[in-house]
Amino acid sequence: MTNNFELDFSEDLCFCNYEKEAFKALDFILNKNGLGSKFLGWVTHPEVYDREEYSRMKKLSEKVKKSEVLVVIGVGGSFLGSKAVIKALKPYFKQDGLDIVFAGNNLSGDYLSELVEYIKDKDFFINVISKSGSTFETAVAFRVLKGVCEEKYGKEATNRIIVTTDAERGLLKEFSDRVGYETFCVPDDIGGRFSVLTAVGLFPVMCAGIDTDAILLGANDGLEEYTKKSLDNISLKYAIIRNAMFKDKKKEIEYLVAHEFKLTYLQEWWKQLFAESEGKNGKGLYVESAIFTRDLHSFGQMIQDGNKITFETIIEVENLKNDIIIPFIEEDFDKLNYLAKKSLNDINKVAVTATRKAHTDGDVPTVRIKVPKLDAYNIGKLIYFFEMSCAISAYMLDVNPFDQPGVDNYKKNMYQLLEKM
């Protein structure tokens, strides 16, 4: 079995129309001379990451694993990446070992109060993630949970709170140094949605017992493959397809489709990655996600026969860890004996092919990314694939992939209204 990903597209597309544009975008990334170039640290991070910090993370994660719960406090890129990896690689139902829960990504009093009730009688650690320390949702949740931790553990609470923040400055860094929390670094040259392969994402993933060495190996192989200035570079090819769909085919929505529920939070991470990177100056595809075949029984009708403004990117996992065989039953009450002794995963692959054909016939173009298996190595490589494609695609749109000016607008309004409460 090869470790290479495969990419194919359902339509004939003249890549020559965008080849020069894509190569120029890749040059911006590799030469660090495009918009937002100070945030390109993620490009070489899988190769040059801080080994000393990584060793400290591993050592502390072994201590955290002996507890019952790790509460990860963060919003956006500070939690979506780690949750995506954990959900993709951990069993669906088996709950043995450390329970990793997330907070600070919403303002629901109901959620936070239930979380406090859940952890108060358990042995727990906290990992708060914020570069500045002033991110509103995260700061509110940390204020509450810090108090719970101190009430339960007293002075020992200092050793129960782990902070991932700026290396030198910011409210959270200053406070952590003053009280003595263990800290890990949010690199200055890597923005939140590109930070999953740093301490931001990797420390919670380590605590979950997932092989982060393999994740970084996959990402490093991605670095070697997806920085090549060639149309054999499928990361570059995917960026070209997205731009052609948006500019030439007038497609407005891209669905990231998976046929495995374990990829649900990878889809959520992908949506933030592309939406925040490209959605500027009236440009960019609106990104959505779907799990098939479940969603074929809901908005599949709209995709098939509705407004022709969508295309799909399908993640197909070739070899899954577990499978089940359809049994033969004498009474054949459901008339499914023709499927007896067939694998459910093989049937699911038939569904992928059937759906793709139906949607292509219905003027919904499809891209397929074939991943050899769902493991730490391939998740690391897939993360790097999407990060590189996203940066190339955004530069092709002539927008800065690494800022998010629109995000601050709601915050300004909220702070003004809160002052009037």
Side-chain angles (χ1 to χ4, degrees), residues 38 94 133 315 360 394:
K38 66 180 181 179
K94 189 178 179 182
I315 300 177
T360 300

Side-chain angles (χ1 to χ4, degrees), residues 17-148:
N17 294 339
Y18 289 98
E19 183 177 347
K20 184 177 179 181
E21 201 176 324
F23 287 169
K24 182 180 178 181
L26 184 57
D27 281 339
F28 281 152
I29 295 167
L30 300 181
N31 298 326
K32 296 188 176 183
N33 58 2
L35 295 168
S37 58
K38 66 180 181 179
F39 292 108
L40 281 164
W42 58 271
V43 176
T44 56
H45 183 80
E47 185 176 54
V48 303
Y49 65 90
D50 185 337
R51 265 65 175 178
E52 186 277 329
E53 180 185 62
Y54 188 71
S55 180
R56 283 197 297 119
M57 288 161 56
K58 276 193 168 182
K59 183 177 179 180
L60 185 54
S61 72
E62 291 303 318
K63 183 178 178 182
V64 174
K65 286 178 193 176
K66 295 175 183 176
S67 66
E68 294 177 277
V69 179
L70 172 64
V71 184
V72 179
I73 307 175
V75 69
S78 295
F79 93 100
L80 279 172
S82 59
K83 191 165 186 177
V85 174
I86 292 166
K87 291 295 185 182
L89 299 182
K90 298 296 283 186
Y92 278 114
F93 304 109
K94 189 178 179 182
Q95 298 299 322
D96 293 348
L98 182 70
D99 187 15
I100 299 181
V101 298
F102 295 85
N105 53 70
N106 61 68
L107 293 174
S108 169
D110 190 49
Y111 180 91
L112 192 55
S113 63
E114 287 194 20
L115 177 56
V116 168
E117 188 67 24
Y118 175 66
I119 67 172
K120 69 179 184 180
D121 295 324
K122 290 182 168 58
D123 187 30
F124 69 88
F125 281 79
I126 290 172
N127 178 206
V128 57
I129 306 167
S130 174
K131 187 168 182 62
S132 65
S134 60
T135 306
F136 191 82
E137 296 89 341
T138 302
V140 168
F142 182 49
R143 175 179 283 237
V144 171
L145 293 166
K146 172 179 170 292
V148 175

